[in-house]
Amino acid sequence: MLDSVTHSTFLPNASFCDPLMSWTDLFSNEEYYPAFEHQTACDSYWTSVHPEYWTKRHVWEWLQFCCDQYKLDANCISFCHFNISGLQLCSMTQEEFIEAAGICGEYLYFILQNIRTQGYSFFNDAEETKATIKDYADTSCLKTSGIKSQDCHSHSRTSLQSSHLWEFVRDLLLSPDENCGILEWEDREQGIFRVVKSEALAKMWGQRKKNDRMTYEKLSRALRYYYKTGILERVDRRLVYKFGKNAHGWQEDKL
DNA sequence: CGCCATTTTCCTGGTT
DNA sequence: AAACCAGGAAAATGGC
């Protein structure tokens, strides 16, 4: 397998991940998308493969990692522009990165080029890496505080790193690759959707939160709390929910 | 450490 | 009867 070939080359220090690992480490869990066994079974974590050999999934994992690690606003990133293989990613120019992710694209481009030239040892020291990124930002006349969605609002589509349940649900609805028929739009324009596989949804959410005791009963309780805050609106049908006025990022024409 | 929002856990009771 | 729904209550969690 690819893994066995590239692992030693690009993971010179197996412990380098530790200071960097946070929520992203669960993506290294091969059970993360149980419905994608055919894919995950032979798909290792992005750090064990050279960027040029990344699958779409690796690219996705890398993006999530970058968002998490460097506090990039995921709303800046146009997911559809990054639904590509590692080879395609590596062939993107800096301009194309900016096109796809606004100001965040510059960071992503910079990080990717460093991985390509230095391998993953680039991440050996988390603080050093952050400092390097910061230096890069400063020399590029960019301000960390400037990496906000208003700088690249036109590219927002799916939040790649959603810490909230409703965002997780939204992103699943917007990502057919990961959805696997777990969720389904009932009325796309009105934001009405149905939970098709309640157990699978709970399991997926549980994996995201590293909680193997998650059930749909408990997940649905959390969803019901959203009625109060206007994130969701009640729909008088079993397993059917509707995005409320305080939910954003789900509308097709507002990307 | 405290505050706060969110989520988890548990529960009682009702509905499909 | 199994699977959901409605919320109250309280604990856990994580960010600031």
Side-chain angles (χ1 to χ4, degrees):
Chain A
M1 257 208 296
L2 199 54
D3 188 56
S4 58
V5 178
T6 56
H7 192 275
S8 58
T9 312
F10 290 96
L11 272 182
N13 176 4
S15 66
F16 89 91
C17 287
D18 291 350
L20 295 170
M21 280 301 187
S22 54
W23 64 271
T24 42
D25 60 353
L26 79 101
F27 284 91
S28 63
N29 181 346
E30 9 180 67
E31 287 183 315
Y32 186 67
Y33 293 126
F36 270 113
E37 279 152 28
H38 61 281
Q39 186 190 355
T40 55
C42 55
D43 209 357
S44 49
Y45 196 56
W46 64 276
T47 50
S48 31
V49 184
H50 189 284
E52 288 174 26
Y53 298 102
W54 281 350
T55 60
K56 287 183 182 182
R57 180 193 169 78
H58 289 138
V59 174
W60 170 269
E61 288 169 347
W62 171 70
L63 282 172
Q64 303 229 34
F65 169 84
C66 291
C67 288
D68 182 47
Q69 201 57 42
Y70 305 114
K71 305 287 179 245
L72 303 183
D73 187 341
N75 289 320
C76 290
I77 299 166
S78 162
F79 170 64
C80 56
H81 279 78
F82 287 105
N83 189 26
I84 55 175
S85 69
L87 196 60
Q88 291 170 291
L89 186 76
C90 290
S91 69
M92 281 172 67
T93 63
Q94 184 171 10
E95 287 67 38
E96 285 170 328
F97 265 86
I98 293 167
E99 155 87 23
I103 209 161
C104 298
E106 279 204 56
Y107 285 79
L108 291 170
Y109 179 78
F110 173 75
I111 294 164
L112 180 67
Q113 298 319 314
N114 274 280
I115 295 172
R116 293 181 70 193
T117 56
Q118 302 173 38
Y120 295 105
S121 56
F122 171 61
F123 294 117
N124 271 337
D125 186 314
E127 291 312 311
E128 195 179 302
T129 307
K130 278 181 178 171
T132 310
I133 298 277
K134 193 175 178 303
D135 287 347
Y136 173 75
D138 291 343
T139 57
S140 307
C141 304
L142 303 176
K143 289 266 192 312
T144 307
S145 59
I147 313 175
K148 295 296 174 196
S149 46
Q150 59 260 35
D151 291 318
C152 36
H153 53 278
S154 63
H155 295 294
S156 108
R157 184 179 187 127
T158 65
S159 171
L160 297 169
Q161 175 212 336
S162 36
S163 53
H164 291 155
L165 174 59
W166 74 271
E167 293 169 307
F168 168 78
V169 167
R170 176 198 64 188
D171 296 346
L172 210 48
L173 274 161
L174 264 35
S175 316
D177 286 352
E178 282 73 37
N179 191 327
C180 284
I182 289 173
L183 295 170
E184 217 169 68
W185 286 110
E186 190 111 296
D187 187 322
R188 185 70 180 79
E189 281 65 43
Q190 291 196 66
I192 301 172
F193 61 92
R194 186 173 63 251
V195 178
V196 182
K197 302 174 186 172
S198 58
E199 250 179 77
L201 179 67
K203 191 173 179 185
M204 218 157 169
W205 174 239
Q207 285 174 214
R208 167 67 62 97
K209 297 290 291 290
K210 293 184 182 173
N211 176 359
D212 52 10
R213 299 172 308 283
M214 183 48 59
T215 64
Y216 179 71
E217 276 287 294
K218 291 187 278 193
L219 185 152
S220 63
R221 179 67 189 96
L223 289 179
R224 288 195 292 275
Y225 270 125
Y226 286 137
Y227 295 149
K228 241 196 300 209
T229 52
I231 298 288
L232 292 179
E233 285 173 24
R234 186 166 291 132
V235 174
D236 196 27
R237 266 179 295 152
R238 282 190 141 203
L239 298 166
V240 179
Y241 300 85
K242 178 184 192 299
F243 286 119
K245 54 180 69 72
N246 292 327
H248 58 265
W250 57 269
Q251 293 118 117
E252 205 158 29
D253 55 349
K254 285 186 70 181
L255 305 174

